[in-house]
């Protein structure tokens, strides 16, 4: 399996309770997170903080730390990058119709 495929499993197992199953869309509690940079994923997932200079999309503080995912940050980031890329390709194809 690719890192993105592993990341999808991590996402579905741990994130969709709050984030949308499609990470390009807002979830019940969490914002869209497709394309999030690794530094943001790392800081939010492990420490529930934001990287220096980052402006949050929401002001809620519902997220809980998930330290058990420390060795899955790269996989999760790969999945979120792929989701953003697929959405961009879908939008580009729709423009051509």
């Amino acid at each position: 399996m690719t890192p993105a495929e592993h990341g999808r499993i991590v996402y579905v197992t741990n994130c969709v309770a709050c984030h949308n199953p499609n990470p390009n869309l807002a979830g019940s509690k969490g914002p869209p997170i497709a394309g999030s940079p690794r530094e943001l994923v790392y800081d939010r997932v492990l420490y529930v903080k934001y990287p220096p200079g980052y402006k949050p999309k929401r002001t809620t503080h519902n997220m809980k730390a998930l330290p058990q995912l420390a060795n899955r940050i790269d996989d999760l980031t790969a999945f979120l990058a792929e989701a953003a890329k697929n959405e961009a390709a879908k939008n580009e194809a729709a423009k051509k119709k």
Side-chain angles (χ1 to χ4, degrees):
M1 284 202 311
T2 67
E5 290 169 333
H6 284 288
R8 181 184 178 286
I9 293 168
V10 171
Y11 183 80
V12 169
T13 304
N14 296 279
C15 306
V16 297
C18 297
H19 293 279
N20 195 298
N22 176 349
N24 290 288
L25 304 174
S28 61
K29 294 181 181 179
I33 57 174
S36 293
R38 186 189 188 284
E39 182 181 22
L40 175 60
V41 175
Y42 180 87
D43 282 350
R44 291 299 292 158
V45 170
L46 300 182
Y47 304 107
V48 196
K49 67 177 188 167
Y50 293 101
Y54 181 83
K55 180 140 175 86
K57 294 176 183 175
R58 294 187 179 180
T59 57
T60 58
H61 299 284
N62 293 321
M63 189 159 170
K64 306 291 182 225
L66 301 168
Q68 72 274 20
L69 300 182
N71 65 343
R72 294 294 183 198
I73 298 299
D74 290 334
D75 294 338
L76 185 55
T77 304
F79 168 69
L80 296 174
E82 186 173 275
K85 180 179 153 189
N86 291 343
E87 185 73 8
K90 184 175 93 174
N91 290 340
E92 189 61 33
K95 287 180 190 177
K96 292 179 181 180
K97 289 184 178 183

